[in-house]
Structure formats: structure tokens, C-alpha cells
Amino acid sequence: MCQVRRHNHAESAWLVAGDAMYDVTSYMNSHPGGVESILRKAGGAQDCSKALLFHSKAGIKAWKKYKVGKLRDCKCDTEDSSIHEEMNQH
């Protein structure tokens, strides 16, 4: 997620659905719901699993071509958690 969070703007927009990441930057201007509907969820701000199910079969097929990978544990996330836990103990 630490990498995905960097892709939350019009020049680079990635969505997350479950453990999959999608680079939808090139599609944003064509999206029927508009650019803002994507940017609200970009960078992993929201899990788009439910949104994925909402789309038609053609829409779901389109999602697949934008898939860039799967989420995996990130050292940054574990360090952030450790820092928060440490702060809460003091």
C-alpha cells in the first residue's frame, strides 16, 4: 500500500480491489462516472471490490486489462504500525 498511496492524482491513479492493483490513469477521462469518481478512490483511499461487482461484464473485463499487480506486505506499513504502537505505549 505504501507504493499505491503515491498514485492518487490525475497524472497517476491506481485503484485497489481486494489484493489487486489497477492503474486506471489512461482510462480516467473515458470513465462514464468522470475523473472525480476515480480520484476519490485512487491511491487505495477505498477498496473498490464492491464497485468492481457493480460494473457490467464488459466493465469487469476492462478492469482486468488495467491490473498491474497484487498487494503484498510492505516494510513501510509495518514500520508505521510499530511507530503508532510505540507512541500509544508512552
Side-chain angles (χ1 to χ4, degrees), residues 15 28 31-42 46 48 55:
L15 299 177
M28 282 195 309
H31 188 264
V35 172
E36 285 302 314
S37 67
I38 291 178
L39 289 178
R40 279 194 297 271
K41 295 177 175 126
Q46 292 180 345
C48 296
H55 287 81

Side-chain angles (χ1 to χ4, degrees), residues 44-85:
Q46 292 180 345
D47 185 303
C48 296
S49 296
K50 288 183 182 178
L52 179 60
L53 297 175
F54 167 79
H55 287 81
S56 65
K57 287 181 183 181
I60 292 169
K61 187 176 180 180
W63 272 72
K64 291 179 183 180
K65 75 178 184 178
Y66 296 106
K67 187 174 180 178
V68 292
K70 283 191 167 197
L71 290 175
R72 59 182 180 157
D73 290 336
C74 176
K75 184 179 176 186
C76 299
D77 289 339
T78 6
E79 286 176 359
D80 287 348
S81 298
S82 300
I83 291 168
H84 289 283
E85 287 176 21

